[in-house]
Amino acid sequence: MMKSLQSFILVSLLISTNNSFTQWTVLESPDFSLRHAIAVISDNIVYTVGSNGKFWKSTDSGDTWTVTTINSSSAFYGMSFINESIGYVCGFQGHIYKTTDGGETWIEQNSNTTQNLSDIHFVSANDGVAVGNGGVIRRTTNGGLNWMSVNSGVGVSLEALDLSSNGIGYTVGDGGTILKTSNFGASWNSLNSGTSLNLKDVKINTDQSVHVVGIQSLYLRSTNAGNSWVSSNIDMDNWTNLYVCGFDYSGKLWATGTNARIFGSIDSGNSWLIEEAPDYTPYTYHYHDIGFSENRLFITGSKTIRFAAVSSLTLDVVEAFEFHIFPNPFSEVFTIQLMQSTQSIGSAKVELLDMSGKVIQSQTAEIQTGAIMLNFDAWAIQPGVYMVRVLNENDRFAPIRVVKL
């Protein structure tokens, strides 16, 4: 039995596609190189790094940029700044560089690996961790003068890392890998994510609340410090690969990736609003990182930097509609309880899908105030993982995974 799937699951995930939730502006930059990471230092100072070994700096909230070449034969995938002056980048073939003057000059550090490093995170002037391909984890306790090898216990690519000031951190990667540390990266334990899909980013919200995104629009949430996870696919119709997620200053959760689609949640992942970039072109459909100042939200990726004024963000989500599934896992029959507490939403279709998105079964129900029960007789389908989703005329409710034993 998957650890992340409980015998009873309550989820009220909603995706609405009716309204655009903000206006995005493409920022001008010196060239069109791919940006992999962004660091927002203050309302004015923003850094981004990417291909061709380049580092871009803005001192006016992204309106204008200057560029420095750190190493023209490298690419950088991760970046972490302690303050305006001191920061680190990591990337191709284990390269780690440090700046102490806000990116004007850089000094290479010895990471003791030639594996690509995908992410780096510092929680103080001394303590930092980097992760990368082949399960590589490197740790420093002296500001990068020495990088020590740490046994991850895995051989897959580790894609992202988040580390809190109390020493608790998570890294995620291919094959559903989630590792946790409680001692600033000195040792790591494997967690059961309940999925084999590749995971791309992780963010710690509180000591108990952790959020992960991955390919095929996968979203995982833990409310007990990673002991169990609830999963959903927040964009199943398009199978958007989610590369990054993050919380802004007001507590809104954001996620983005391929297909120029941006997702926002005002309730820590319970409900989502979705938007396709209004000027979608082949040059802007991969977003790799997201960053926040108090007044702006930045996303960066394929040949563009884009921002929105945070003060204008409104995520108007339809009142909570809940559906419960039990038992889960099931052997032959499972029950869906549909609940609407305040108003009728009319006719809704309930679908059972396989993991390719093919509809296996469907039922139609009239959703009035209160609760109704639908029984799905699925004895004939093969054991495995499936999805249940609810749709009505205006909205798509994010699907829940179910397991047939």
Side-chain angles (χ1 to χ4, degrees):
M1 181 183 300
M2 293 183 182
K3 186 176 181 180
S4 64
L5 291 171
Q6 310 300 312
S7 59
F8 182 89
I9 297 180
L10 167 62
V11 178
S12 56
L13 291 172
L14 166 65
I15 298 176
S16 175
T17 57
N18 295 327
N19 300 303
S20 172
F21 54 78
T22 189
Q23 296 296 318
W24 294 87
T25 300
V26 176
L27 299 176
E28 298 297 329
S29 57
D31 58 45
F32 293 100
S33 301
L34 174 64
R35 278 85 168 169
H36 289 290
I38 192 165
V40 182
I41 310 302
S42 66
D43 276 349
N44 293 320
I45 298 173
V46 185
Y47 303 139
T48 183
V49 71
S51 61
N52 301 322
K54 292 183 177 180
F55 173 83
W56 294 264
K57 178 178 181 177
S58 175
T59 58
D60 54 12
S61 297
D63 292 333
T64 61
W65 298 83
T66 58
V67 61
T68 301
T69 299
I70 303 172
N71 180 343
S72 61
S73 63
S74 187
F76 296 105
Y77 311 125
M79 176 167 52
S80 180
F81 269 77
I82 301 166
N83 52 42
E84 178 182 338
S85 299
I86 301 174
Y88 301 79
V89 296
C90 69
F92 182 66
Q93 291 186 345
H95 287 159
I96 296 178
Y97 283 81
K98 178 180 181 179
T99 181
T100 58
D101 55 13
E104 298 297 322
T105 60
W106 296 83
I107 298 173
E108 185 171 10
Q109 298 185 328
N110 184 5
S111 68
N112 293 304
T113 183
T114 57
Q115 294 280 8
N116 291 349
L117 296 174
S118 56
D119 204 3
I120 190 168
H121 196 105
F122 273 76
V123 294
S124 70
N126 293 318
D127 296 303
V129 177
V131 300
N133 290 1
V136 165
I137 297 179
R138 293 294 184 265
R139 176 179 181 243
T140 182
T141 58
N142 57 13
L145 292 176
N146 304 102
W147 287 90
M148 300 170 286
S149 176
V150 179
N151 181 19
S152 67
V154 299
V156 300
S157 292
L158 299 173
E159 297 287 346
L161 166 73
D162 199 13
L163 194 62
S164 60
S165 59
N166 62 4
I168 295 174
Y170 300 82
T171 182
V172 300
D174 290 356
T177 299
I178 302 179
L179 306 179
K180 180 180 179 179
T181 181
S182 299
N183 51 16
F184 295 98
S187 61
W188 297 80
N189 296 314
S190 179
L191 303 179
N192 186 351
S193 68
T195 182
S196 60
L197 295 178
N198 294 345
L199 305 177
K200 294 296 185 180
D201 197 19
V202 57
K203 288 295 185 295
I204 301 170
N205 188 27
T206 67
D207 285 348
Q208 299 295 313
S209 176
V210 187
H211 303 260
V212 175
V213 294
I215 66 170
Q216 296 183 15
S217 72
L218 179 65
Y219 166 65
L220 301 176
R221 179 181 57 187
S222 176
T223 57
N224 55 13
N227 290 319
S228 62
W229 301 85
V230 173
S231 66
S232 63
N233 293 79
I234 64 175
D235 189 25
M236 193 170 182
D237 286 347
N238 293 278
W239 292 109
T240 297
N241 291 329
L242 300 174
Y243 291 153
V244 63
C245 61
F247 286 88
D248 68 20
Y249 277 73
S250 69
K252 296 183 181 75
L253 175 62
W254 300 89
T256 188
T258 58
N259 300 330
R261 296 169 80 81
I262 305 157
F263 305 83
S265 173
I266 60 173
D267 51 15
S268 198
N270 282 316
S271 56
W272 294 86
L273 197 66
I274 182 175
E275 170 175 291
E276 192 169 272
D279 59 344
Y280 171 86
T281 75
Y283 298 105
T284 62
Y285 56 62
H286 295 315
Y287 299 142
H288 291 271
D289 203 5
I290 192 166
F292 311 93
S293 68
E294 290 192 27
N295 297 311
R296 286 185 172 186
L297 183 159
F298 298 84
I299 57 175
T300 186
S302 297
K303 304 183 180 181
T304 188
I305 303 169
R306 185 182 299 268
F307 86 89
V310 174
S311 60
S312 71
L313 299 180
T314 56
L315 300 181
D316 297 323
V317 180
V318 177
E319 289 195 53
F321 172 87
E322 300 174 358
F323 66 101
H324 308 224
I325 297 178
F326 56 92
N328 189 11
F330 68 94
S331 56
E332 293 185 356
V333 178
F334 64 89
T335 299
I336 302 174
Q337 183 184 49
L338 304 170
M339 300 183 66
Q340 172 64 23
S341 58
T342 58
Q343 61 183 12
S344 171
I345 64 170
S347 179
K349 181 183 289 186
V350 182
E351 297 179 335
L352 177 68
L353 307 93
D354 64 20
M355 294 307 293
S356 71
K358 178 182 178 181
V359 177
I360 306 297
Q361 293 184 37
S362 66
Q363 294 187 37
T364 300
E366 193 72 19
I367 311 300
Q368 305 295 337
T369 301
I372 66 170
M373 299 284 192
L374 294 178
N375 291 323
F376 263 73
D377 188 349
W379 67 269
I381 68 174
Q382 295 295 313
V385 179
Y386 297 85
M387 304 297 299
V388 175
R389 69 177 177 184
V390 179
L391 310 91
N392 75 348
E393 181 178 353
N394 297 316
D395 303 299
R396 294 187 290 115
F397 296 86
I400 300 175
R401 291 179 182 235
V402 294
V403 177
K404 169 69 182 296
L405 298 177

